[in-house]
Amino acid sequence: MTALLSIQLRNFAADDPGPGGWQPTLDLAKAADAAGVDKIVVSDHVVFGENLEAYGRAELGGMAGGRQPTGPDGHWLEPTTLLTVVGAITTNLRLANNILLAALRRPVILAKQLATLDVLTGGRVDLGVGVGWQAEEYEAAGLDFADRGRQLDHTLAVCQALWTSCPADFSDDRLEFSRIYMQPQPVQPGGVPVWVSGTLNARSMRRLARFGAGWIPWGDDMGGDMAANIAQMRDMVAGYDRDPSGIGVVGTLPLVRTDDGIDLAATMDSVPALAEAGVTDFRAHLAIPSAPAAAHDYLAEVVTAFRPAVGR
């Protein structure tokens, strides 16, 4: 599996950027595409309550000690809409959610949206999913926060049924239909690849085994000994009768910083071992220049250093 370099596209702002204020987001996407970055990822929140401290609680699905980047009145672009715009102005970038709260969407509509985007971009879409941490977001959608994991599984099952069969049949405890037609289906064989976010727990690993093309580690499993984390993931997935050998893994590009910035050569020294351990998507958290030309040149330098490190 080819190892990719990805960056986050900020689709949120603490305050209203004003007229034309989101143009830098689009300019960065175009610069990344031209520079040879493989993938961009965007975040998701539909609405907020005021209890943002819940994000710091790992038992709710948040990040221990973590803080949200905006207040409850922050501005968040809807990710699938943004990816559609980005797909129209780029050629090669893979377009990914990291993560989409898919359980908040009606499954048949989500399946249609993502299939359409995949067709129009020539098969460049990845769906990253997770259960989220915010009860108020589910309550505002008329959904039970405690049921979010089961609702996510249901949503993914419906999407994959519609993406892979036409006519499609489906039945579970929430929905039943037969001989339903949805065209066009995604360009990618098997439908839009699903990347499952979660820690090394039974629920997340069962979901990964059932639906996942890739794993997005969360919480403590994002760092530490990635080789050990990946080995444990593979053991757990195999326990659910799934061959884990083809499952991709997101890992952080381990930046080596100096007084002058980032030492790219030293940064790439650790990449081959991580790729050998199973990391296939190296997420680079970089201080990218704001000017489009400078962003392109900077990212092109990172890409040039990265590709030989993963044998490309």
Side-chain angles (χ1 to χ4, degrees), residues 201-254:
N201 66 71
R203 293 183 298 274
S204 293
M205 294 300 100
R206 187 183 302 112
R207 183 172 300 122
L208 178 60
R210 182 179 176 188
F211 301 109
W215 176 42
I216 306 171
W218 184 248
D220 291 342
D221 297 326
M222 295 173 63
D225 188 342
M226 280 300 295
N229 295 344
I230 293 170
Q232 184 177 349
M233 176 273 288
R234 289 174 173 168
D235 286 344
M236 294 179 73
V237 165
Y240 296 109
D241 298 322
R242 166 76 186 277
D243 178 1
S245 61
I247 294 178
V249 178
V250 172
T252 301
L253 183 69

Side-chain angles (χ1 to χ4, degrees), residues 169-189:
D169 300 326
F170 184 83
S171 179
D172 70 4
D173 60 344
R174 295 164 191 248
L175 177 67
E176 183 172 345
F177 58 72
S178 62
R179 299 195 62 77
I180 292 297
Y181 294 74
M182 191 197 79
Q183 293 288 355
Q185 292 178 319
V187 172
Q188 299 179 84

